[in-house]
Amino acid sequence: MIDEIYSKDILRLAADLPHAGRLELPHGTGERTAKLCGSRAVVDVKIGRATMVEHFAQDVKACALGQAAASIVGANAVGADLTEVRAARDAMRAMLKSGSEGPIGRFEGLRLLKPVAEYPARHASTMVAIEALCDAIEDAVTRRLTWSPPYYAEPSWEEQEAERTRGAGAA
């Protein structure tokens, strides 16, 4: 088991967790825990006008497999939208449960965890990060209905830059 699922690539990813920590005043938060081993991921997001992730942070306490999956998720979360994250989550689940090929696009790196399919007891720990990200975006979308205008109307960095450029040209 050790050689099959704990490859050098998995261990390298597990040691490098991007966007570690928590966001101040997140738009949404998701938390998942694998009951069998206790692996846990808490994800905070700030989303743009659509459901695209503009800011992301994660607090992950997991086994090497959960950490590796969180590393891949963290490296690719910014710029992803809810539809893309749901598709990646569903493809990841299908890869582990029924042998499908796994996620495509920005989350294709999760395919590295395909050998985990042979070890059902490890599936939940491998899924906590992508599930928490999905939950965080869904939470942000749900909470958007009650946000005050400064949160809802928060411009993207592109819009902020365009506004600065317009202001500089008018002076």
Side-chain angles (χ1 to χ4, degrees), residues 52-54 56 72-81 85 106-107 133:
M52 186 175 69
V53 175
E54 290 189 351
F56 168 88
I72 295 165
V73 169
N76 296 287
V78 174
D81 65 19
V85 173
R106 79 171 60 236
F107 293 103
L133 173 58

Side-chain angles (χ1 to χ4, degrees), residues 106-121:
R106 79 171 60 236
F107 293 103
E108 190 170 319
L110 290 168
R111 289 178 174 200
L112 183 65
L113 294 154
K114 191 169 182 149
V116 177
E118 300 297 318
Y119 304 93

Side-chain angles (χ1 to χ4, degrees), residues 32 69 72-73 80-98 100-108 110-111 123-124 126-139:
R32 287 294 178 118
I72 295 165
V73 169
D81 65 19
L82 181 56
T83 302
E84 193 173 13
V85 173
R86 281 179 175 160
R89 177 203 59 198
D90 295 347
M92 179 76 172
R93 187 177 296 132
M95 179 181 80
L96 295 174
K97 302 258 185 229
S98 60
S100 76
E101 290 303 309
I104 58 172
R106 79 171 60 236
F107 293 103
E108 190 170 319
L110 290 168
R111 289 178 174 200
H123 291 184
T126 307
M127 293 292 298
V128 292
I130 192 75
E131 288 176 336
L133 173 58
C134 192
D135 291 349
I137 299 170
E138 289 171 350
D139 181 46

Side-chain angles (χ1 to χ4, degrees), residues 151-166:
Y151 285 110
Y152 182 77
E154 183 177 312
S156 68
W157 69 269
E158 292 97 347
E159 292 168 321
Q160 293 174 21
E161 186 61 27
E163 183 64 29
R164 279 192 289 275
T165 304
R166 277 194 296 275

Side-chain angles (χ1 to χ4, degrees), residues 46-63:
K46 289 188 179 185
I47 61 173
R49 284 198 169 86
T51 62
M52 186 175 69
V53 175
E54 290 189 351
H55 301 280
F56 168 88
Q58 59 184 347
D59 181 19
V60 180
K61 306 288 189 270
C63 65

Side-chain angles (χ1 to χ4, degrees), residues 10-23:
I10 296 290
L11 296 176
R12 179 184 47 78
L13 285 167
D16 181 28
L17 189 67
H19 302 285
R22 301 291 306 270
L23 292 180

